[in-house]
Amino acid sequence: MPKDDIKEFRLVGTRPNRPDGLDKVTGRARYGADITAPGMLWGAVLRSPHAHAKILKIDTSKAEALSGVKAVVTRADFPTGLTGEEWNLQENTMAGEKALYDGHAIAAVAATSSLIAQEAVRLIKVDYEVLPHVTDVDDAIKPDAPVIREGAADASVPEGMPPNVVKYFEFGRGDMEAGFKDADLVMERSFKTEATHQGYIEPHACLGQLGADGKGEMWVCTQGQWFIRQMCSAVLGLNAAQLRVTPSEIGGGFGGKTTIFMEPLSLALSQKAGGRPVKIVMSRSEVLRATGPTASASMDVKIGMTKDGKLTAARAEFRMQGGAFPGAPVDMALYCSLAPYKIENVEHIGYDVLANRPKCAAYRAPGSPMGAFAVESLIDEMCRKLDLDPMEVRLKNAVREGDQASYGPTFGSIGLVEVLEATAKHPNLAVPLGPNQGRGVASGYWFNHNGETSVSMAISEDGTAQVSVGTPDIGGSRASIALMVAETLGIAYEDVRVNVVETGALGVNEPTHGSRATFATGKAATIAARAAIKEMCRRAANEWGIDEDAVEWVEGAAQPAGPNAGNYPPMSIKDIAKNMGATGGPISGHHESVPDGVGASFGCHVVDVEVDPETGLTKILRYLVVQDAGRAIHPSYVEGQYQGGAVQGIGWALNEEYVYGKDGRLQNPIFLDYRMPVASDLPMIDTMIVEVPNPGHPFGVRGVGETGITPPLPAIANAIQGATGLRMSHLPMTPTKVLAALKASQE
Amino acid sequence: MDFHTPSSFEDASKLAAEATGLTRFLAGGTDVLVQMRSGTVLPDTLIDLKLIPGTQGITRTPDGGWRIGIAVSGARLGDHAELIADWPGVVEGMELVGSTQVQGRATLVGNLCNGSPAADSVPGLVAAQASVEITGLTGVRTVPVEDIPAGPGKTTLQPGDVISGILIPPRGEHAGDAYQRFTPRTEMDIAVAGCAISLRVDGDTISEARVAVGAVAPTVRLVPDAAAALIGSTLDDAAIDALVAAVRAACNPIDDKRGTAEFRTEVAGVLAKRVAKIAYGRAKGEAQ
Ligand SMILES: Cc1cc2nc3c(=O)[nH]c(=O)nc-3n(C[C@H](O)[C@H](O)[C@H](O)COP(=O)(O)OP(=O)(O)OC[C@H]3O[C@@H](n4cnc5c(N)ncnc54)[C@H](O)[C@@H]3O)c2cc1C
């Protein structure tokens, strides 16, 4: 679809009520912990209190002897011989020879009540040999750091690197020396960000059942039921087709529910307990200690700029720890960090480093916020030094369609320039600032993603439609998919029901991640609806005795395509549905693919803050999110994604962090001390949806879930510099840190 | 676990004295139930005090002071216009506790007896010179609030002691109090530092003052030197500087994930300055 073809739609772009709304506000919606089954047992998990320790002996005899206990499992109950990421998953599910972080699972119990299970966990005796540990990324990369695992490095790591470096990245283009020479100002700075958690409000919960015959069922709160199936099967040595996984409603995921934690434990316990279903619900402390927060990062950036704001060269060197396993998103951070800029000379270097922390999982645009923090902070500081308008500098260097991205590929249709131009005109930028107030801007980028997608839709007997999708609805995707299908079929939004179905009902679907559900599932559902339309046209053609190609679909009815095709009154979807039994049977549409045509999304945020010079407290006064959605199918949910991303970024920037003590234990595994923003901390987050349609999607969708968390970290740091003159280079920018920096600057 | 619902404080006292193992009283339960859920405190005996007659009352005492029942929630305190007119600082301390949901249950007594150095309502009570009535095995006695906390999670209450009421003295003329805390977030957070000041003026001159600080020492502390810095002054810059210095000198905080010792000390001084201005304004009848 060409860019300027802004088509009018009947439904796409409207804001109907979400189909899951009533269930959610009345409490009827069934989340992970709401699932029960007859004969159900409760599981509980014993977790390591040590950051790094050899497990010498596990004595489960007392726990097993406790009345009501039906099964106890340790790593000895798992198959051996796994390799690569499957071994990593198994090792993270339950520790083998060593406990690798505070909270690492050591053993699990199933009992007739939750209290008995917890009591039994306390009766398990573990002999540990405590080992030296390391939790900070800069310490973990030292040559003499405690070694988390020998031989974990992959082929990318050159000879002679420190022992905890497990992946190494190096890429770039141009002539760095010449690039820096062309600059009038070259600046170099180091930055650090701390690990944060997705903070989804629903803790992990599952109910697993596995018989001696290897047939199993799992009900679980997840972003991806096929991932759960595949990962559980791998870790437990099961036949994937024999495990049926049904997703519950989901109270947030943000990437953190795209992998397994205690799910295999419930299956292993169930099998040992004679096939009785076992339910495990994590506490908030377990969620914080032992699920998948994001990585922490240490980053050096060097940038060259001319007097008039042209970027001549940029070098980014990032070190990230993502816990005791490979997988810190350092590659993604590097790819995204310079993506908004057209720069001839770029160099990227990255280190994925092991440390004694939980295995990181995806968190909303994994890696991108950290990279943006480093790059966008430094660009802002250079603009201030050269007295340049940060919006103009961003526009001057902005990438456009056809430009080669900093990380290699050539951009297709993108909307960064449109976003920056819209931002610059927004009234928030004209609001005058008072004393101790500052304004910060920053850009951000996310690729967006397609992934394996399989969708079926079927016409009901009354002409309404049901759509079976495999991507759990975390951001309103059922509403958006219903809008697209209803638009395509020419029926009412209310006449479409979208169901998120279990693994037995469709081909493999990747999770709802990478901002892909509305793009990929929406595209597949639209194509599936077109297939159903084709079939309905065929039924009408048969009825009329004319050629199939001589029938067209208009406003929910088949009709002859023009006077030459024949003179028949339109046959509505209701008429066709009513007679489906007599005209060939059920009518459905199906589509499966890895949909091509992913459209990347850029955003720009503008934030005004006020810093209390006596306490260092930063207050968010105004916050604006501008982002290219491609097309907003349901604008309220697009705005919700923009606001949610901004709020999570605000938390990350100001107060959220994993605090580890000298003993390597997590100091703040509760929401009292893991300080996510509360509603009263925030102004209404202003949003502006820019629509540069993605030609790769039938309605122009790009995917909007992730870009929004990318700019807040630097935008807020930039605003704090405006308010105080201080360049804060280590997140979070807590009152303690800001006040200490203010005092130091006054000395 | 044994669960009791006595109908008098005497019975409650006896039950507590006779119980073995870990005993907790249940007022609002916003500390006790949370601790039980997280497994940090698993009591053997739980004694619910809310069914004792009179525990929900806020009453004027014959001398013009106040008696507050031990089960009165933060929400009820915050609805009591007369009490707020007398002791706005006491009420605003309690109203900072938790959220709307927590406010419906949380009590002054629970806040005091949970023994947190950061308890938000305690500095205000100490500055107000409030006391608690204790029903114990040997009868009923009255003790100043500042004598109850003994350290983090600890009180000076003896086995069989149960607090049966909170007594706040008469406010009198030309007086005002205030409390502020510092938290990185606007709510659902724990004080990194807190300060309450109650004072009386004679014209523009401060004639009486009490200053209490929270979250900057193992217990909430009364700071007589800080009060001395205010008394006799018109809250001029010199008095404020002396107040801030005295408050900071009284701080002996810990360094932890919630804030460094240096930060807590610094901010306690800032709060003292801000709170003194509010209390002074209130004492002089200026709307605040
Ligand atoms: C979400 C949340 C937010 C919170 N925010 C804050 C906050 O901002 N500031 C703050 O200070 N606190 C906060 N708290 C802690 C708590 O709400 C307060 O300490 C509250 O005032 C406790 O009162 P309660 O009636 O619920 O006490 P309970 O939990 O009923 O009891 C607390 C303790 O007091 C003892 N006790 C109760 N009554 C008596 C009695 N009559 N005699 C002797 N001992 C007694 C109990 O044995 C127990 O040890 C918060 C709690 C939650 C859950």
Side-chain angles (χ1 to χ4, degrees), chain B:
Chain B
M1 190 189 69
D2 292 328
F3 185 77
H4 303 281
T5 53
S7 52
S8 74
F9 283 108
E10 289 72 23
D11 288 351
S13 166
K14 231 175 281 155
L15 283 165
E18 284 162 10
T20 53
L22 205 57
T23 302
R24 284 289 182 275
F25 294 111
L26 196 60
T30 60
D31 281 315
V32 169
L33 297 181
V34 173
Q35 289 158 3
M36 284 171 61
R37 274 296 191 112
S38 71
T40 50
V41 180
L42 297 167
D44 302 293
T45 305
L46 206 52
I47 304 172
D48 187 355
L49 305 172
K50 287 190 289 294
L51 299 185
I52 299 174
T55 52
Q56 300 282 355
I58 303 174
T59 48
R60 182 78 84 175
T61 52
D63 63 353
W66 294 94
R67 183 188 173 94
I68 298 171
I70 58 97
V72 170
S73 68
R76 288 224 192 280
L77 280 186
D79 277 347
H80 204 287
E82 268 183 276
L83 181 67
I84 293 171
D86 272 10
W87 293 103
V90 170
V91 177
E92 72 197 359
M94 189 62 209
E95 284 198 289
L96 281 171
V97 170
S99 57
T100 302
Q101 295 91 326
V102 172
Q103 279 287 309
R105 308 289 293 184
T107 66
L108 286 169
V109 173
N111 198 223
L112 174 64
C113 297
N114 184 53
S116 164
D120 278 308
S121 73
V122 178
L125 289 170
V126 169
Q129 214 168 348
S131 51
V132 289
E133 179 194 272
I134 299 172
T135 302
L137 293 176
T138 55
V140 176
R141 63 190 197 277
T142 301
V143 173
V145 167
E146 58 267 34
D147 291 348
I148 299 298
K154 295 199 186 79
T155 67
T156 55
L157 297 175
Q158 298 302 305
D161 278 355
V162 54
I163 293 179
S164 40
I166 292 195
L167 301 165
I168 308 179
R171 176 70 285 195
E173 294 292 291
H174 310 301
D177 71 334
Y179 172 76
Q180 278 193 356
R181 67 172 183 184
F182 181 83
T183 55
R185 292 179 293 184
T186 44
E187 60 178 6
M188 300 303 281
D189 211 335
I190 183 164
V192 176
C195 180
I197 295 178
S198 174
L199 52 78
R200 192 181 307 284
V201 291
D202 183 357
D204 285 343
T205 307
I206 297 172
S207 57
E208 290 170 24
R210 281 170 70 90
V211 179
V213 292
V216 289
T219 64
V220 169
R221 269 195 186 167
L222 185 66
V223 191
D225 287 352
L230 293 175
I231 294 169
S233 82
T234 56
L235 202 62
D236 48 285
D237 288 351
I240 287 176
D241 288 349
L243 165 74
V244 168
V247 161
R248 288 189 179 142
C251 293
N252 177 25
I254 51 166
D255 240 337
D256 74 353
K257 67 221 167 197
R258 292 172 182 157
T260 59
E262 195 187 341
F263 180 77
R264 288 173 191 265
T265 306
E266 178 73 21
V267 169
V270 173
L271 293 175
K273 176 175 76 176
R274 293 178 181 180
V275 167
K277 287 181 181 164
I278 298 168
Y280 187 71
R282 285 175 178 166
K284 292 182 56 169
E286 292 156 8
Q288 291 236 15

Side-chain angles (χ1 to χ4, degrees), chain A residues 434-607:
Chain A
N436 302 316
Q437 297 183 353
R439 177 166 296 149
V441 304
S443 303
Y445 173 70
W446 186 246
F447 321 93
N448 294 327
H449 180 60
N450 45 8
E452 290 141 25
T453 309
S454 171
V455 170
S456 281
M457 62 93 51
I459 307 297
S460 312
E461 302 84 328
D462 59 356
T464 59
Q466 72 181 49
V467 186
S468 299
V469 303
T471 39
D473 178 357
I474 29 181
S477 57
R478 275 171 295 193
S480 298
I481 292 161
L483 282 168
M484 289 185 271
V485 169
E487 183 85 51
T488 305
L489 290 175
I491 61 177
Y493 165 76
E494 292 75 17
D495 288 347
V496 178
R497 173 162 175 155
V498 179
N499 297 308
V500 179
V501 300
E502 42 101 357
T503 51
L506 286 175
V508 171
N509 274 273
E510 264 185 40
T512 300
H513 67 171
S515 297
R516 77 179 208 94
T518 307
F519 169 76
T521 305
K523 183 169 179 174
T526 305
I527 297 171
R530 287 178 185 161
I533 288 171
K534 192 161 189 295
E535 175 61 17
M536 290 189 284
C537 288
R538 198 180 66 83
R539 303 273 172 111
N542 281 349
E543 184 79 9
W544 293 327
I546 64 175
D547 192 47
E548 198 180 320
D549 295 334
V551 178
E552 62 179 7
W553 191 259
V554 178
E555 289 172 11
Q559 66 179 36
N564 293 341
N567 188 12
Y568 304 98
M571 195 183 287
S572 76
I573 191 167
K574 281 198 163 52
D575 299 335
I576 298 169
K578 201 164 55 197
N579 297 325
M580 67 168 91
T583 61
I587 298 168
S588 62
H590 185 81
H591 182 75
E592 56 202 3
S593 65
V594 176
D596 57 5
V598 176
S601 177
F602 286 93
C604 182
H605 293 197
V606 183
V607 56

Side-chain angles (χ1 to χ4, degrees), chain A residues 252-277:
Chain A
F254 311 105
K257 291 175 181 166
T258 56
T259 184
I260 51 166
F261 298 103
M262 76 308 177
E263 292 83 0
L265 303 182
S266 80
L267 293 170
L269 286 166
S270 171
Q271 193 167 41
K272 221 171 169 181
R276 287 175 72 171

Side-chain angles (χ1 to χ4, degrees), chain A residues 300-371:
Chain A
D300 306 323
V301 182
K302 181 177 175 185
I303 293 177
M305 197 188 271
T306 63
K307 284 200 293 295
D308 56 356
K310 182 95 194 83
L311 295 171
T312 60
R315 181 179 190 282
E317 181 170 334
F318 297 171
R319 298 161 292 276
M320 284 192 189
Q321 70 71 33
F325 301 90
V330 62
D331 44 350
M332 305 285 188
L334 290 168
Y335 298 152
C336 294
S337 60
L338 295 164
Y341 301 102
K342 190 175 155 85
I343 315 177
E344 299 300 320
N345 311 297
V346 287
E347 185 180 354
H348 306 74
I349 291 173
Y351 303 84
D352 180 359
V353 187
L354 300 189
N356 292 112
R357 297 199 190 202
K359 185 180 195 296
C360 79
Y363 179 14
R364 215 169 188 156
S368 187
M370 298 86 139

Side-chain angles (χ1 to χ4, degrees), chain A residues 612 614-615 617 655 667 671-676 678 680-681 735-736 739 743, chain B residues 182-190 192 257-260 263 266 270 273-274:
Chain A
D612 182 336
E614 292 184 319
T615 65
L617 181 82
N655 285 306
Q667 300 291 296
F671 274 159
L672 177 62
D673 292 313
Y674 181 82
R675 288 170 165 139
M676 294 182 76
V678 297
S680 52
D681 291 337
T736 304
L739 191 63
K743 297 236 138 200
Chain B
F182 181 83
T183 55
R185 292 179 293 184
T186 44
E187 60 178 6
M188 300 303 281
D189 211 335
I190 183 164
V192 176
K257 67 221 167 197
R258 292 172 182 157
T260 59
F263 180 77
E266 178 73 21
V270 173
K273 176 175 76 176
R274 293 178 181 180

